[in-house]
Amino acid sequence: MSRLVVISNRLADPRKPAAGGLAVALGEALNQTGGLWFGWSGTVVEGGTPGEGEMHTRSAGAVTLATVDLCREDHDAYYQGYSNSVLWPVFHYRLDLADFNASYIAGYRRVNQMFARKLLPLLRDDDVIWVHDYHLIPLAAELRAMGCCQRIGFFLHIPMPPPLIMAAIPQHEWLMRSLFAYDLVGLQSEADVAHFTRYVRNEGSAEEVGAQRLRAFGATVQVQAFPIGIDVDEFTRLAQAPDAVETYENIRDEYSRRRLLLGIDRLDYSKGIPHRVRAYRELLDRYPENRNSATMIMIASPSRDDVHAYSDLRQELEGLCGSVNGDYGELDWMPVRYIHRTVARKRVPGLCRAAAVGLVTPLRDGMNLVAKEYVVAQDPEDPGVLVLSRFAGAAEQLKEALLVNPYDTQGTADSIQHALQMPLPERQARHQKLMARIREHDVHWWRKAFLQALQEAGD
Ligand code: GDG
């Protein structure tokens, strides 16, 4: 069996359960073959030389973890700049938040080149290489230019935007052409595949040369949707463990007179958190029976605090939550509990299970794993209802959720009310179907399907 090499911007120690489903799933695959995991160390070196970074290697079981430091200049241009201030906003359709500072692209290329240079001597002839996410789009092209002939696959965790939005990025053609250095490009949804295909047909005169294979820019690539899943068994075990049970019982006792609505997200503008607060406000306004009876818990874990758009979002959210609590709150009832901290992973399933409604309402999202975690955490005998944005990749699979348009405040409020009033048999029937689909397409299915397609790509 070939050795697996995983490359992602950040690494997690695959042996630690706190790392979450993706790290566990990748760790499992790496352990099977005795693999290598390569990426940024997370360390920023002040005053270092651009394009140079020290490499550190250590073992975690059968897996070698190799990480490279970044100097301040590289970090600011590659990570904060091009990755998180150009690619992240544009790929989430937020041209208004993009910062097309011309100096970022050089740092992005420099770091990808450095990663390729550092990685190359670590590679073996029969390795299979799996590159993850938007930080590393040109990595295969850099590796190929240095003579690398191994099979290389790429998975994009975030959405692929429609061609005209993509075209707002000054280097769009270079980025898309870079993807043709891979043997396989995996995307989250069929909508993403359609956007990719349309772009390369329009801009690269692509031809279809077989099932899911496109030829453009003088190369051929296979493009396919692999909707990422969660580790259902791991999450179920977590849900049954004492910490989750205790969290569930505490919350249930504390809110015994209330129906709970729950949102858990990284504090990110793609997640539609302010829109959700506005919909909740509308719910209290239009359906006054929920006053003094519904409580919305919003966990927004800190994320990328040093990017400007994120501090603006935090302020906006604090203002919105404050005004709902000020306008509707009572001495013994706070309508919104907003927590800007990370909750321990072992408590997440208990929180989900205690909530009658799970609110997952991103404005755009590659997949959204919280939607799947919420469903898996439910009691099948008395499950809560998932209210899910139609703009999350997960909406292509989770059709039995109540699908909403988060920009439509009134419609979202109506759907939340529908969720709160849904009779038990309907909740059970929807939950059962959702559960079956989430179980069938779990993270292990995703990993195996991707790696099998990569093995076969081009055969
Ligand atoms: C990207 C794409 C795609 C959240 N808050 C806390 C916490 N979380 C956990 C959730 C979930 C994970 O973080 C978030 O996953 P998402 O899928 O929702 O979102 P992104 O971080 O934006 O991930 C996304 C994903 O990649 C995978 O391909 O689905 O579309 O944007 O597991 O539970 N965990 C803990 N405390 C928190 O406060 N412990």
Side-chain angles (χ1 to χ4, degrees), residues 18 20-22 88 92 133-134 155-159 188 228-230 235 264-268 270-271 299-304 339 341-348 351-352 360 364-371 373 392-394 446:
L22 176 60
W88 179 273
H92 287 89
D133 233 357
Y134 59 103
F155 186 78
L156 183 66
H157 290 258
I158 65 174
Q188 296 272 27
I228 194 169
I230 63 167
F235 202 76
I264 305 183
D265 314 82
R266 277 187 309 102
L267 183 57
D268 192 288
S270 65
K271 303 291 180 186
I299 317 266
S301 51
S303 170
R304 304 175 198 164
I339 298 167
R341 275 195 312 278
T342 300
V343 172
R345 183 156 175 81
K346 59 190 180 189
R347 307 222 167 265
V348 170
L351 261 171
C352 289
V360 179
R364 192 74 187 103
D365 216 330
M367 177 54 59
N368 197 299
L369 297 179
V370 177
E373 292 169 350
W446 169 78

